[in-house]
Amino acid sequence: MNSHSATDDLHLLTRLLPSHIKAALARQEPAELLEIILDLGRPPQARYLHAAIDLSEHPVNREDLGAVVRAVGEFGADNRAGIESTLHRVSAIRNRRGDVIGLTLRVGRAVSGTIDLIRDLIESGKSTLLLGRPGVGKTTKLREVARVLADDFGKRVVIVDTSNEIAGDGDIPHPAVGGARRMMVASPDRQHAVMIEAVENHMPEVIVVDEIGTLDEAMAARTIAERGVQLIGTAHGNTLDNLVGNPTLSDLVGGVQTVILGDDEARLRGTQKTISERKAAPTFDAVVEIVSRREVIAHPDAARAVDNLLRGHPARGVRRGLSEPDEADGDSAADPSPADTGPEPRVFPAQGDRPVRVYAYALSRDLVDRAIRDLRIQARTVKFPDQADLVLTLRAREDDPKLSRLVDRSQVGVHGVKKNTTAQLRSLLASLFNIVHGQDQAEVDDMVRETEQAVREVKAGGVKAELDPRPSTLRRLQHRIVTRHGLVAESVGVEPERRLVIYPV
C-alpha cells in the first residue's frame, strides 16, 4: 500500500497558545506543520518541512510563555510534557535559574502506511534498527510497527516509552499503537533498566524502544536480543557508517576491534598489518537508514554490511523508494528530494544574478510565491508564459493542448507537481534549485557542476569517473543526478573520504 493517512488532533495543541499567536497560526497551512517555536524576545515561528515562518512581528514575552506553561502543567525531568490522549510534545528551554525562556510545541501525528518499505524485515522477526537524522520520522514508524505486530500478527508487544514519545501522554496508550502494551520511563537515565524489566516481568515477543543513545542502553539491547526477543529500535546516527564509527553505540551492530595481523596474513589479505574487524554478532539483524519519508536504504544483513564497511567497501545497502509522493505524513521532516518530484536537477539562476522567472499554469500563483519566499531563492512569478524561464503545473495538466502551445512558443521546461500545495511546490523548487537542507548552497552548486561534468565525461569516453569526497546528504543528490542520466554509481571509501564513483553502462 502506498497511501498514507494521518490524524493529529492539532486543535488540542494549538489551544495552548495565546490567542494572538493562535490566530496568526490559523492563517497558515496546518496539515504540514511540524512545530511551533516560542523563544523569549523573538517572533513566534511555525516550522514546516524546510521553512520557518514568523507568525508575528511582535516578540514572545514572558506572559506568552507563562500562559503556555500553565496550560501544559508539569514538565518531566527531561523538560518535556505531553498532552493527554495525543502524541504532541511540549519541550522547555530554561535559564540558569530554571525559568522557562523557550518552548517547542512539536506536532505528533498518528500515521498509517509508513512502514511499507520495511514491512518484510519487520514481519520476518528480525531485530531491526532504524537510523536517520532528527525529524525524519523514526518515531512515527515505531508506532506503526508496534500496531502492526500487535494487531495484525497477534504478538505480545511492549513499548518502552521514554517521555511518552511513542504512545502519547496519559495512562492509556494512544490508539495509534494498537494493542501494544506500554511501559513508561520516569526519567531518561532509567530507560535501560525499564528495557530489562520489560523482558523479565512481562514475557514480550517484541520490544519497541526509541532513541538508544547510551552504553547502558546498548548493553540492555544486547541482553534483550540474546533472550530471543525481537527488538525494534532507533538510535542516534544518520547512517550505518556513523554508527560503526560511534564507540558508544557500535556494539548495536557488532562493535569494532583492532586486530594486528602477521606479515604473511597481511600480504594474503592485501591490507595493512593493523586492521579493524567486527567484534561480535550484531545486536540488530537488520539496519534501515531512513533517507526521507519515501526512501530508505535497507541493510537486511547487518553483519555483512558492517564487514564491508570495515574492509573499505560500500555497505551495499538496498535503496527502496515509493513511486508517488504523498502529502506530509507524520511528525517527521524530510529533505525536499529531487527523486520525489521527477525533474532532472538544474542549477538556477542561469542568467547571472537575475531572478528566475516562474509561470504557474493551473496552480495558485500565491502558493508559488509563498514557496519561493519560504526557500529564499532568487525567483519570482510572472503573469505570462513568454516571460518565464520555467513553467510549473499540475501533473494532470502537463498534456493540456493550451499549455503545449504556450511551451512550444516559449521553449521553456515544464515541471509538474501532484497536488497544488505549498509543501509540494517547495519540494519541487528545492529540487530545481538544488537546495539541500543543512548544506551551504555554494557547495551544493559546486557539487552539481562537478557531477554533471563527470557524467558527460563518462558518457563520452566510456570510462569510470571518481568524484571528490562529499557528505552523505550531497552523495545522495549525486546518486540521483547520475541515475537520471542513465548511469550507475556507488559510494566507496570511509568517511570523511567517502566519495562517488560513476560507471558507464
Side-chain angles (χ1 to χ4, degrees):
M1 107 185 209
N2 284 350
S3 62
H4 296 178
S5 61
T7 56
D8 57 23
D9 298 316
L10 186 58
H11 66 285
L12 298 178
L13 180 67
T14 58
R15 72 180 183 184
L16 303 176
L17 297 170
S19 57
H20 63 286
I21 298 177
K22 182 178 179 180
L25 183 65
R27 294 191 289 271
Q28 307 299 325
E29 293 185 33
E32 300 147 13
L33 180 66
L34 297 178
E35 58 190 13
I36 305 155
I37 304 298
L38 305 179
D39 284 337
L40 184 64
R42 295 179 177 177
Q45 284 188 337
R47 290 188 178 175
Y48 295 85
L49 291 180
H50 291 295
I53 300 173
D54 287 349
L55 298 174
S56 171
E57 296 179 356
H58 303 290
V60 174
N61 56 41
R62 295 186 186 277
E63 289 73 23
D64 296 330
L65 294 174
V68 178
V69 169
R70 287 190 296 273
V72 171
E74 187 176 352
F75 286 85
D78 56 357
N79 278 313
R80 293 177 177 180
I83 302 173
E84 185 84 19
S85 302
T86 77
L87 300 172
H88 304 312
R89 183 185 77 202
V90 182
S91 302
I93 299 174
R94 299 180 186 272
N95 63 16
R96 293 181 179 181
R97 298 188 302 273
D99 301 326
V100 174
I101 57 172
L103 292 169
T104 302
L105 289 76
R106 183 65 183 248
V107 179
R109 293 184 172 96
V111 187
S112 62
T114 67
I115 64 167
D116 296 340
L117 296 176
I118 60 172
R119 193 178 180 107
D120 59 321
L121 300 176
I122 302 302
E123 293 179 0
S124 70
K126 288 184 176 182
S127 289
T128 303
L129 182 66
L130 308 181
L131 303 176
R133 66 188 181 279
V136 80
K138 300 187 295 295
T139 306
T140 301
K141 286 179 170 56
L142 286 185
R143 290 190 196 109
E144 189 173 12
V145 167
R147 179 185 60 77
V148 168
L149 291 178
D151 292 359
D152 296 356
F153 292 89
K155 292 192 174 183
R156 299 188 301 274
V157 180
V158 173
I159 299 168
V160 176
D161 204 2
T162 304
S163 302
N164 296 341
E165 283 287 288
I166 303 173
D169 205 51
D171 293 340
I172 301 174
H174 194 278
V177 301
R181 305 180 73 190
R182 187 262 297 275
M183 294 182 67
M184 296 187 186
V185 181
S187 62
D189 59 4
R190 288 275 303 157
Q191 177 166 288
H192 69 283
V194 178
M195 290 168 67
I196 299 299
E197 180 185 341
V199 176
E200 293 179 342
N201 291 358
H202 303 289
M203 296 182 61
E205 295 174 280
V206 182
I207 284 184
V208 176
V209 60
D210 201 6
E211 295 186 359
I212 299 173
T214 68
L215 183 59
D216 286 340
E217 290 162 7
M219 293 174 63
R222 178 167 289 279
T223 298
I224 291 169
E226 289 174 348
R227 296 189 184 190
V229 176
Q230 183 182 7
L231 185 63
I232 311 295
T234 69
H236 301 299
N238 295 353
T239 65
L240 182 58
D241 298 24
N242 299 151
L243 198 65
V244 171
N246 184 327
T248 301
L249 298 181
S250 63
D251 184 66
L252 297 175
V253 288
V256 180
Q257 63 183 356
T258 301
V259 177
I260 299 177
L261 304 176
D263 293 338
D264 293 341
E265 181 69 14
R267 280 195 297 271
L268 182 64
R269 295 193 185 193
T271 64
Q272 298 177 343
K273 292 181 65 175
T274 303
I275 63 171
S276 295
E277 287 188 345
R278 181 166 48 85
K279 184 164 54 177
T283 298
F284 288 89
D285 307 306
V287 175
V288 176
E289 301 171 13
I290 304 175
V291 178
S292 72
R293 295 194 204 93
R294 308 197 61 79
E295 185 178 11
V296 303
I297 299 173
H299 304 278
D301 187 339
R304 178 177 296 179
V306 172
D307 290 345
N308 285 339
L309 289 174
L310 294 177
R311 291 167 186 161
H313 304 311
R316 303 194 186 281
V318 180
R319 190 175 290 271
R320 302 176 175 185
L322 297 176
S323 58
E324 290 294 333
D326 289 332
E327 287 299 292
D329 62 355
D331 58 358
S332 62
D335 283 336
S337 164
D340 291 344
T341 53
E344 184 172 317
R346 290 185 55 189
V347 178
F348 283 112
Q351 306 295 327
D353 294 327
R354 176 177 64 76
V356 176
R357 297 167 301 187
V358 181
Y359 176 68
Y361 179 83
L363 290 172
S364 165
R365 186 175 173 184
D366 288 341
L367 290 183
V368 176
D369 283 329
R370 178 184 294 181
I372 290 172
R373 290 196 303 271
D374 290 349
L375 292 171
R376 296 184 174 90
I377 55 179
Q378 292 296 312
R380 65 181 180 87
T381 57
V382 292
K383 293 184 178 180
F384 305 104
D386 57 0
Q387 301 172 331
D389 299 308
L390 71 148
V391 175
L392 305 185
T393 188
L394 292 170
R395 288 182 188 170
R397 303 291 295 275
E398 286 179 325
D399 296 328
D400 278 11
K402 179 180 177 182
L403 177 60
S404 298
R405 290 193 298 271
L406 294 173
V407 172
D408 287 343
R409 288 200 301 266
S410 58
Q411 295 295 306
V412 298
V414 177
H415 305 271
V417 290
K418 184 179 179 183
K419 295 181 181 179
N420 185 21
T421 66
T422 305
Q424 294 211 5
L425 290 168
R426 275 198 301 262
S427 181
L428 175 59
L429 288 170
S431 169
L432 293 171
F433 284 78
N434 293 305
I435 295 173
V436 179
H437 184 59
Q439 293 290 334
D440 178 72
Q441 192 57 39
E443 182 181 3
V444 175
D445 292 345
D446 177 67
M447 177 275 296
V448 172
R449 284 189 288 268
E450 177 202 20
T451 307
E452 292 181 338
Q453 176 62 30
V455 164
R456 288 191 290 270
E457 293 173 358
V458 171
K459 283 186 170 182
V463 295
K464 71 178 183 180
E466 188 169 306
L467 305 181
D468 291 338
R470 299 285 185 179
S472 60
T473 51
L474 296 187
R475 290 200 305 272
R476 286 194 288 271
L477 180 52
Q478 287 178 317
H479 272 289
R480 295 183 182 116
I481 295 172
V482 171
T483 300
R484 289 195 181 111
H485 283 282
L487 301 177
V488 295
E490 69 172 349
S491 295
V492 301
V494 179
E495 302 288 6
E497 297 300 315
R498 195 157 172 78
R499 59 204 176 277
L500 211 69
V501 178
I502 305 173
Y503 298 96
V505 175

